[in-house]
Amino acid sequence: MSQTVQRAISIVEFIAERARSLNEVAAHLGMHKSSALRLLQTLEANGFARRTEDGRYVLGTRLISLAQQSLDALDTRQAAAPHLRRLHHACGHTIHLAELVGSEIVYADKVEAEDAVRIYSRIGRPASLHASAVGKVIMAFLDPQRADRLLSAAALTPHTGTTFTTRAALDDELARIRTRGWAVDDGEFEGFVNCVAAPIRDTTGAVCGAVSITSLKVIAPLSELTALVPALLRTADDISRELGCTG
């Protein structure tokens, strides 16, 4: 990849985290401030960056429309929308739709819980392959060779004390998921959050995504979420039929 393009991408990702000063961007890139400024000005002129009143840089508004176009291109999101809302209406918890896009599992849609506290996830952001219910349920039902390639390249980062951090332990968990047909996240990414997820299949019958119910543990313990699994499985089946799965 062109070094200039790579640096521009690095800036966009860097300022997406929080507002950054010119000095911070230059230090992040390991280059002189004048060179970093030229890149920032080019991004700003094209709507990919925006300079705030205090002189720092944040993401530009053009990325909003591009992100929406990217999300709209995900057929699963459109097909799943009414089913996600129906499930949310029935249980009141946060509902996620995740989709397998290339080598990543991406949150494609989300219906927020009715309580005031929001779950960490964001639409368009990747989900952990090994420390999320949606990630594990997709890996469990994915073509074994493809799943092996993805998991072999993944860092099994220990986020909490319940995270599966070895391939052997994770493979055992994936086998349990295949047997029961759904997955759990028992505080494996964030210790105060739990989740249950079910796979979504496309017209060929292959897994292409997942739907999940997520809650803070203080609001709904895992036992309460597992009681909702029948409704979760019906939702996943409904979405799969919308996508043409007849199996």
Side-chain angles (χ1 to χ4, degrees), residues 67-68 70-78 80-81 84-85 95-101 105-111 121-127 134 200 208-210:
Q68 187 60 52
S70 177
L71 288 169
D72 288 344
L74 300 176
D75 292 339
T76 304
R77 183 172 184 256
Q78 297 179 35
L84 301 183
R85 274 103 189 121
I95 309 300
H96 287 109
L97 173 71
E99 187 163 2
L100 181 62
V101 182
I105 295 171
V106 177
Y107 288 112
D109 206 352
K110 178 181 182 180
V111 186
S121 58
R122 292 183 183 176
I123 297 174
R125 295 289 295 273
V134 292
I200 296 170
C208 61

Side-chain angles (χ1 to χ4, degrees), residues 11 28-29 34 37 44 46 116 119 132 155 159 161-162 182 212 233:
I11 290 174
H28 175 69
L29 296 175
S34 61
L37 179 60
E44 186 178 9
N46 288 276
I119 303 297
S132 70
H159 300 288
T162 57
W182 48 277
S212 69
L233 292 172

Side-chain angles (χ1 to χ4, degrees), residues 52-82:
T52 63
E53 291 183 359
D54 63 2
R56 295 186 297 170
Y57 291 87
V58 296
L59 288 181
T61 56
R62 187 176 178 190
L63 286 167
I64 297 173
S65 62
L66 292 176
Q68 187 60 52
Q69 290 171 19
S70 177
L71 288 169
D72 288 344
L74 300 176
D75 292 339
T76 304
R77 183 172 184 256
Q78 297 179 35

Side-chain angles (χ1 to χ4, degrees), residues 27 32 66 127 129 161 164 193 203:
H32 194 274
L66 292 176
L129 299 183
F164 292 91
V193 175
T203 186

Side-chain angles (χ1 to χ4, degrees), residues 120 128-133 136 157 159 163-164 185 188-190:
Y120 66 87
S128 169
L129 299 183
H130 73 293
S132 70
K136 290 188 298 178
T157 305
H159 300 288
T163 307
F164 292 91
D185 169 3
E188 296 158 33
F189 189 82
E190 290 190 319

Side-chain angles (χ1 to χ4, degrees), residues 78-157:
Q78 297 179 35
H83 303 288
L84 301 183
R85 274 103 189 121
R86 189 178 302 117
L87 181 60
H88 172 262
H89 180 74
C91 71
H93 300 305
T94 297
I95 309 300
H96 287 109
L97 173 71
E99 187 163 2
L100 181 62
V101 182
S103 61
E104 290 187 320
I105 295 171
V106 177
Y107 288 112
D109 206 352
K110 178 181 182 180
V111 186
E112 291 281 3
E114 296 171 350
D115 54 79
V117 182
R118 291 176 174 251
I119 303 297
Y120 66 87
S121 58
R122 292 183 183 176
I123 297 174
R125 295 289 295 273
S128 169
L129 299 183
H130 73 293
S132 70
V134 292
K136 290 188 298 178
V137 82
I138 291 174
M139 289 299 101
F141 291 100
L142 196 61
D143 171 78
Q145 291 184 338
R146 187 178 180 190
D148 182 65
R149 288 196 301 271
L150 294 177
L151 292 173
S152 295
L156 304 184
T157 305

